[in-house]
Amino acid sequence: MELHEAFVGKNLHDISVPAAVVDRAVVRRNCLQMLQACDALDVDFRPHVKTHKTIEVARLQVGEQWRHMVKIVVSTLAEAEHLFPFLLECQDHGKSVNVLYGLPIPPSTVRRLAEFGKRLLPGSLSVLVDSREQLQHLKLFNEITGYPLCVFIKVDTGYHRAGVTPSSAEFLNLVTRILDGGKNMNIEFGGLYSHAGHSYGGSSASQAMDLLIEEIESLRKASEIVKNLHPKIASQQFTLSVGATPTATSVQNLIELSDGPQAPEVKQSDALKNCIRQAKANHDRVELHAGVYPFLDMQQLATQASPSASQPSTGPGLSFGDIAFTVLTEVASLYSERDQPEALIAAGSFALGREPCKSYSGWGIVSNWGFDSTIPTGRSGWQVGRISQEHGILTHESSKHGDTPELCVGQKVRIFPNHACVAGAAFDYYLVVDSNLPEKRRDEILEVWVRCRGW
């Protein structure tokens, strides 16, 4: 209530900075496009909440009418606990809920996870494992909750951050331990999970979809290994959970094919659909997961993995109009006497993060918000060229975007961050605006979305 009274109804130009701003209209478009693509492909979807960490965006990710089962990934237990009112509401409305803790489980978190699980219905929680040593600690969950914990094996399909490779002896030993000793440990095997984090290195929808096909195929073959080891479960349905924002959102291009397919895209689409059919023939269910797609950022624009939800008529690829999250800050000083004009803003690495983007050398792009409306590209020509803890130095972009407009002290600017997950972590809440409103109201704060903090 205090945040509502402090901000709702005010204009972005009138608030102190730095502040995190979210465009509600863009979030809705991005979430809807993802759900529509999964429905068209007949695959499940498990949104990740690690980027936004809010109930409001989680609700949009799941969709009001799209799913009878609410499946979510969290990266911290704090996220799961923050979502509890929403999860309880879903269960009260007859929807089944499953929250996956998306980190191979640290043993010390089992008790806290179980205490949270007591507040939900049986079957509501799942965890990842990639080591036999983790399994012995899971008994405690059943002792506290009274129901078994669902376990996914984290599979390494090329990112090499976490997981086991399906061809390794450790994978076989882990599968055997789960399936042979599952009853004694009170755990249930849910399926296989991978994360194609290396897809951030791509620069086209075709590259992202190739990785997605490889990922599905890798988990499908891993599932065959599991079922060949244990013929009694040959007809049991496992979930093959794959994705990252570039790979998962690349399936949105399949919807666009109906507007004029070209041979390479059609072949790729057929290959993906064939992978999914083969998984279903093996009694498995494909599930996509992704996290940053509701907000997007400069790193995602660089991958060009999905079509634009804001400007579909402009051709394939994301645009600045698809980025929902910006950091609002203010010009504090001007340095016209330097070799090239520069400006100081009141936002540094603590507000913007310090992750690079492969498409340019800076730490954030200043949008064209607040500048002359004739600037068409979404970017103003200024970028965050240097950064320290609370200082950001604006410099001219080195690319060809026309003349760079002048700045003035006290001017508010909005910055597209390189990585929304990291930039958002500094803030307790988002100030919500809506670009679908009449132009005079587009800078009006309509809501405040509180995000969780900590672990």
Side-chain angles (χ1 to χ4, degrees):
M1 181 59 72
E2 289 182 3
L3 289 173
H4 180 91
E5 293 176 353
F7 293 109
V8 172
K10 291 187 176 180
N11 191 288
L12 291 181
H13 290 279
D14 299 327
I15 65 169
S16 61
V17 295
V21 178
V22 167
D23 188 329
R24 184 176 63 187
V26 179
V27 173
R28 283 174 171 166
R29 284 198 301 265
N30 292 344
C31 290
L32 181 60
Q33 185 168 258
M34 189 72 248
L35 290 170
Q36 288 174 333
C38 288
D39 278 357
L41 206 55
D42 191 27
V43 296
D44 292 342
F45 184 57
R46 185 186 290 267
H48 207 313
V49 303
K50 68 185 179 69
T51 301
H52 59 85
K53 300 177 186 275
T54 70
I55 290 176
E56 291 85 355
V57 180
R59 192 184 301 277
L60 294 172
Q61 287 180 294
V62 169
E64 292 295 338
Q65 74 276 20
W66 295 87
R67 295 288 180 268
H68 295 296
M69 183 173 188
V70 175
K71 299 199 286 187
I72 285 173
V73 195
V74 299
S75 59
T76 67
L77 295 185
E79 293 165 14
E81 292 162 348
H82 184 69
L83 291 179
F84 176 72
F86 171 59
L87 301 174
L88 195 61
E89 174 190 326
C90 291
Q91 291 186 336
D92 288 344
H93 284 81
K95 294 183 178 182
S96 58
V97 166
N98 186 263
V99 178
L100 174 65
Y101 182 23
L103 189 77
I105 187 161
S108 64
T109 63
V110 175
R111 179 175 294 278
R112 181 176 165 194
L113 183 71
E115 294 295 341
F116 177 69
K118 285 170 60 178
R119 304 163 68 190
L120 296 169
L121 295 175
S124 297
L125 295 177
S126 298
V127 297
L128 297 179
V129 296
D130 60 2
S131 167
R132 284 171 291 169
E133 285 73 18
Q134 293 160 341
L135 297 176
Q136 61 185 317
H137 300 279
L138 302 184
K139 292 181 181 180
L140 180 62
F141 182 90
N142 176 260
E143 294 172 4
I144 293 174
T145 64
Y147 64 85
L149 182 62
C150 182
V151 171
F152 282 75
I153 294 178
K154 179 68 179 285
V155 176
D156 181 2
T157 56
Y159 189 33
H160 306 318
R161 182 176 70 179
V164 291
T165 56
S167 59
S168 68
E170 178 60 24
F171 176 77
L172 298 179
N173 292 333
L174 184 56
V175 168
T176 299
R177 181 75 185 278
I178 291 172
L179 295 177
D180 289 348
K183 289 184 178 179
N184 294 331
M185 291 181 286
N186 291 302
I187 59 175
E188 295 177 348
F189 184 44
L192 306 168
Y193 182 101
S194 67
H195 172 65
H198 48 308
S199 62
Y200 279 56
S203 56
S204 70
S206 176
Q207 289 175 317
M209 194 172 291
D210 278 343
L211 281 174
L212 179 62
I213 292 169
E214 290 177 15
E215 203 178 2
I216 295 173
E217 186 66 6
S218 179
L219 293 199
R220 185 187 67 79
K221 290 179 178 178
S223 177
E224 286 183 348
I225 292 173
V226 173
K227 292 180 179 182
N228 287 336
L229 276 174
H230 298 267
K232 291 183 180 180
I233 61 169
S235 61
Q236 184 173 332
Q237 185 180 75
F238 296 141
T239 296
L240 311 182
S241 190
V242 297
T245 286
T247 54
T249 58
S250 72
V251 304
Q252 296 168 5
N253 293 280
L254 302 183
I255 299 176
E256 304 295 317
L257 288 179
S258 60
D259 295 333
Q262 299 177 2
E265 287 82 2
V266 172
K267 286 183 179 179
Q268 210 172 27
S269 170
D270 289 344
L272 176 61
K273 292 174 181 177
N274 186 54
C275 270
I276 294 169
R277 279 195 296 269
Q278 289 180 334
K280 290 179 179 178
N282 197 38
H283 306 286
D284 291 330
R285 183 73 182 169
V286 174
E287 167 188 285
L288 299 184
H289 55 255
V292 74
Y293 72 95
F295 282 7
L296 297 176
D297 51 31
M298 291 304 300
Q299 288 183 350
Q300 293 303 317
L301 257 65
T303 70
Q304 286 297 296
S306 63
S308 173
S310 64
Q311 300 173 345
S313 62
T314 62
L318 295 170
S319 70
F320 287 96
D322 297 303
I323 301 180
F325 171 54
T326 53
V327 175
L328 177 72
T329 187
E330 184 175 15
V331 177
S333 191
L334 300 174
Y335 307 113
S336 57
E337 76 284 357
R338 295 179 181 174
D339 292 340
Q340 292 290 331
E342 295 183 341
L344 173 69
I345 56 170
S349 59
F350 277 17
L352 295 168
R354 201 184 181 99
E355 289 208 14
C357 178
K358 67 180 182 180
S359 64
Y360 77 112
S361 60
W363 306 102
I365 294 292
V366 179
S367 78
N368 63 354
W369 175 83
F371 290 95
D372 188 327
S373 60
T374 60
I375 301 174
T377 63
R379 60 204 305 167
S380 65
W382 291 95
Q383 69 176 29
V384 184
R386 301 193 302 281
I387 203 167
S388 54
Q389 184 169 315
E390 301 294 352
H391 299 65
I393 302 298
L394 298 188
T395 61
H396 286 183
E397 289 191 64
S398 57
S399 49
K400 39 301 181 195
H401 295 289
D403 295 332
T404 303
E406 292 186 0
L407 298 167
C408 61
V409 172
Q411 179 179 348
K412 295 290 201 319
V413 292
R414 288 169 69 179
I415 297 174
F416 298 118
N418 286 351
H419 191 172
C421 305
V422 176
F427 297 95
D428 294 313
Y429 49 84
Y430 302 109
L431 304 180
V432 180
V433 296
D434 194 317
S435 57
N436 278 352
L437 291 177
E439 188 171 354
K440 290 183 178 180
R441 294 193 61 200
R442 289 177 188 171
D443 295 334
E444 178 185 338
I445 299 168
L446 307 171
E447 300 180 75
V448 180
W449 292 347
V450 176
R451 49 174 287 138
C452 78
R453 299 289 298 274
W455 290 265

